[in-house]
Amino acid sequence: MRAQPKASHFIDGDYVEDKDGTPFDSVYPATGEVIARLHAATPAIVERAIAAAKRAQPEWAALSPTARGRILKRAADIMRTRNRELSELETLDTGKPIQETIVADPTSGADSFEFFGGVAAAALNGDYIPLGGDFAFTKRVPLGVCVGIGAWNYPQQIACWKTAPALISGNAMVFKPSENTPLGALKIAEILVEAGLPKGLFNVIQGDRETGPLLVNHKDVAKVSLTGSVPTGRKVYAAAASGLRHVTMELGGKSPLIVFDDADLESAIGGAMLGNFYSTGQVCSNGTRVFVHRTIKHAFLARLKERTDAIVIGDPLDDATQMGPMVSMAQREKVLDYIAKGREEGARLITGGGIPNAVNAEGTYIQPTVFADVTDDMTIAREEIFGPVMCVLDFDDEDEVLVRANGTEFGLSAGVFTADLTRGHRVADRLEAGIVWINTYNLCPVEIPFGGSKQSGFGRENSLAALNHYTELKTVYVAMSPVQSPY
Ligand code: NAD
């Protein structure tokens, strides 16, 4: 098995196996090949991971932020040096083409370690509050043991985006990757140890929806950060609430992307394609409802079809491949069901809609698909598909499109393409979303906050804002004169 790790879990600085856990296979989606065989964590493994994190955390928190940052920055350097190897593993784990993983996965994780490693020395300060003689000051204190639970679309990135702000703030982390993509996080654990991270501060345990609750409900866990779907988010939030634990919820979306008639057409089409087809459409922030002004609809669709049909689908480890398979057979079935529903409900198929020829038949490939004449009430316009299915909807004016764009329970992201700067800002202001892009789509550098509103979640990853979600404020009041007591 070509990606078999030394053991399933990584606890207290080393690999750990417990064969009492339910066995499961890690499958390379491009061929159906079993590339690793692992075991889900037993309750004993969960206990061991949380105990290791709890034991290691106080000493780590007592270090200066600069000392902690030095280790994270070293981890960033190691990740960049080993980018090819990590990207290949990410490709095996997810099926995403190497062309993407080489620029978007380990490198994004490394950015996160570098950013938080660098800024924390200045960003973890508190305030001094003068009180006319007396004074108070605030400290940013870590929360303790944090749990991260990941989705399968960006396994390495998600692990790093949660772990970098958690560690720099003085916390310990127990991370559970998605059962579909268990491999990348183990490599990150190895790299953090190589960078000098004391043992016990970053632990990886495997498992699925049965394992997650053992972490979320554990009495020694102070915070849970989930990346996953809205239904999972509801369950995890409810469980965390029963223990009054802190939460960050990075959930799903059905984001609007609005293309006005004055937009640069090639750029708007490029943005819409990136925002629907990158990672075979398995991106939470994708702009899957593309509202195109009626006057440019025909030109938009014709060129979109031309460019979509030219996408190179194939072996993800081939540098020329632009689109790989979906993460699993189950996910492909789900997407094909949505495509069938789109047809049934009267959407017009422009291109795609099936399984491509000339690729490995055991792989979970699917064609990039475009529907036109989609209306707001269709299932494909309302539900998150999480596959390469673009819905193009027509609109006539700005007020109308804003009401329709906001007419969803989700609020993760949104985009607008227009040459009119004032309109761009006006529309961005009115779109109900955690992040809005003007004249681009899906760019998420570590310097900017990322996260959703409405049912898409709350809390923010990346940027200085993430530090607020891994620390709490402690206030110290200092009296400078004797107590004046009426008693
Ligand atoms: P999922 O909700 O099925 O699973 C997410 C994780 O939660 C997995 O690790 C799973 O094992 C775990 N889990 C499931 N039930 C649990 C429970 N009851 N308690 C604890 N843990 C539990 O999501 P998925 O299919 O892996 O990923 C796709 C979803 O993730 C999509 O909805 C997508 O939009 C969302 N997503 C969001 C972001 C974001 O940043 N907002 C990023 C990527 C993916």
Side-chain angles (χ1 to χ4, degrees), residues 149-154 157-158 161-162 176-180 207-216 224 226-233 235-236 239 249-253 282-285 327 331 334 384 386 410 412 450-452 456 461:
I149 299 180
W152 40 257
N153 55 345
Y154 282 82
Q157 182 187 87
I158 290 171
W161 281 17
K162 296 187 190 310
K176 189 198 82 61
S178 162
E179 57 277 26
N180 286 308
D208 58 11
R209 63 192 58 232
E210 306 293 319
T211 320
L214 300 178
L215 294 169
V216 177
V224 180
L226 169 79
T227 298
S229 61
V230 172
T232 303
K235 285 184 207 147
V236 172
M249 291 282 148
E250 292 290 350
L251 308 178
Q282 303 162 115
V283 182
C284 52
S285 48
V327 77
Q331 187 63 19
K334 192 178 142 197
E384 185 185 42
F386 222 58
F410 300 108
L412 185 52
F450 180 76
S456 293
E461 295 198 308

Side-chain angles (χ1 to χ4, degrees), residues 259-261 265-266 269 290-308 348-350 370-374 392-396:
V259 182
F260 284 95
D261 49 357
L265 207 58
E266 279 301 304
I269 290 168
V290 182
F291 292 93
V292 178
H293 196 270
R294 203 179 300 276
T295 54
I296 56 166
K297 168 182 167 176
H298 292 297
F300 184 94
L301 286 172
R303 183 70 181 124
L304 172 63
K305 176 173 163 42
E306 202 172 70
R307 288 177 62 175
T308 301
R348 178 163 57 99
L349 187 67
I350 298 294
V370 178
F371 279 114
D373 302 340
V374 177
V392 178
L393 304 92
D394 314 328
F395 77 94
D396 296 297

Side-chain angles (χ1 to χ4, degrees), residues 407-437:
T408 167
E409 58 172 1
F410 300 108
L412 185 52
S413 41
V416 50
F417 278 85
T418 176
D420 179 342
L421 190 65
T422 314
R423 173 157 64 192
H425 283 282
R426 193 168 61 229
V427 168
D429 208 43
R430 289 180 61 191
L431 282 165
E432 295 166 1
I435 180 165
V436 183
W437 289 280

